[in-house]
Amino acid sequence: MATFSVAPPEMSLKTSNGNSAIVEQAAVLQESAFITAMTQFDHAVQFLNLDPGYDQLLKTCKRELTVVFPVKMDNGDIRMFTGYRVHHNTARGPSKGGIRYSMNVSLDEVRALAMWMTWKCAVVNIPYGGAKGGVLVDPKKLTLHELEGVTRRYTTEIAPLLSPEGDIPAPDMGTNPQIMAWMMDTYSMHRGYSVPAVVTGKPVNIGGSAGRLEATGRGVMYTVREAFKTYGWKLDGASVAVQGFGNVGSISAMTAYEMGCKVIALSDVEGGLYNAKGIDLPKLRQFRKEHSSLKGFSGAEPITNAELIALPCDVLIPAAMEDQINHSNARTVRARMVAEGANGPTTPDADRILNENGIVVIPDILCNAGGVVVSYFEWVQDMQQLFWEEDDVNRRLERIMLRSFHDVYDTARGMNIDLRTAALVLAIGRVAEATRTRGLYP
Ligand code: GLU
């Protein structure tokens, strides 16, 4: 017998008007990311002299698509899925941003993440606007065949919004290069020819870029290294704690280890590990490959998430998800620097507390921008059908991360504001400037 799960009441392609009209079931779960994004924006615009009406224009998502679609599961049942694709702003170029598969996905969360993509692309000065997409699904509960079915049908549903010139998805939480390959293939099948530049984060053998998989984690550590140098701190032997051991967390940890840091703690959804003398990262990665878990690794002791956040260390890298450093635990943070590998890991309340306590926060839109920077390189390579060596990719990535760090740092110094506000001031200012230059149509 076919079974149907609950679906939102509507299916709409709509231009948003203040973004308040749509209420759907999952919204309660992740409205906090949206509130964080709005609060950050409202704070930053106080330092900008925006033209009248620009604050409303810049804080509103320009296009929002909700799709509800059926997928035949392996047991013959039909299950309904809900997905979204939101374009926040396209003043500086095509919209760019990942696709998230998670049970926390909601329209509000996707809006916040799309807005952060606009600021992220602007802060590192690459020619993109911001977008994000998501499907309300736990990918771990699907077979590979079902995952492919969900991906291909979702891609078809949002295809009217996608194109290499218009909107280019990429991986995010719960998605990976294989899923990007299915997206690229589905889109290409509808066109009748291969369109590699419609999606980034693809496997290298079908037009992906060397170094894309590692780019976000590497970018985090390039930024941390430059920040240490700028503050006159010593990176060699610095202690690092990483929350999250997905793509961003694991590569950040590995890169920190290779740069001579002491990675003293790590965690994934099941729990964490701690070793004051430093964890042997190559050994741990091998262990995780074999056991698909951090649990049972002999070179460290178990630690809870709360303990990890509260560890005295030089750098804390939250690389899991939103809302991890909040009003209830911000006072426990004893790191010298928080380097945001995840999007939106710190709430505005927590931000204030970290600032009061003199903790340097390298904000997400700068710190984790390495992923989208190498996505940009991938898109450029696909358009030209001319591919670069990994060394070249990494060198160019480093140059952009360093330049962007100094742009933000100088803005912060010049205006006497924290790094997050500075990054937002820079980014929002660039998007406002592009909007002004283009003019309002009609
Ligand atoms: N999902 C990543 C992010 O949040 C990468 C986006 C992209 O490469 O387009 O930055």
Side-chain angles (χ1 to χ4, degrees), residues 403-415:
R403 184 195 64 207
S404 308
F405 172 77
H406 285 290
D407 284 352
V408 171
Y409 179 79
D410 293 348
T411 306
R413 292 274 304 241
M415 298 178 77

Side-chain angles (χ1 to χ4, degrees), residues 96-100 113 117 120-121 128 132 168-173 200-201 212 216 343 368-369 371-376:
K96 186 85 191 79
I99 305 285
R100 178 169 287 204
L113 292 161
M117 285 310 303
K120 194 183 297 189
C121 294
Y128 288 135
K132 204 80 175 196
I168 308 121
D172 196 75
M173 196 190 287
T200 61
R212 172 62 186 86
T216 312
N343 292 313
N368 72 34
V372 74
V373 167
V374 177
S375 275
Y376 167 53

Side-chain angles (χ1 to χ4, degrees), residues 3 9 27 37 71 75 114 123 136 165 182 196 202-203 228 251 261 263 299 305 323 379 383 386 392 396 439:
T3 51
V71 176
N75 66 1
V123 90
L136 192 55
E165 301 81 21
W182 291 326
K202 300 177 295 296
F228 265 59
I251 304 291
C261 300
V263 179
N305 184 51
D323 212 1
W379 179 74
M383 300 283 229
L386 181 67
D392 201 14
R396 287 173 188 255

Side-chain angles (χ1 to χ4, degrees), residues 94 127-128 163-168 194-200 202 206-208 375-388:
Y128 288 135
S163 69
E165 301 81 21
D167 179 25
I168 308 121
S194 285
V195 191
V198 74
V199 168
T200 61
K202 300 177 295 296
I206 56 160
S375 275
Y376 167 53
F377 297 162
E378 179 173 334
W379 179 74
V380 167
Q381 292 171 80
D382 286 341
M383 300 283 229
Q384 301 186 339
Q385 286 296 302
L386 181 67
F387 292 88
W388 312 346

Side-chain angles (χ1 to χ4, degrees), residues 323-332 347 349-350 353:
D323 212 1
Q324 295 303 295
I325 305 178
N326 49 47
H327 71 278
S328 62
N329 64 4
R331 285 187 205 287
T332 69
T347 64
D349 283 356
I353 296 168

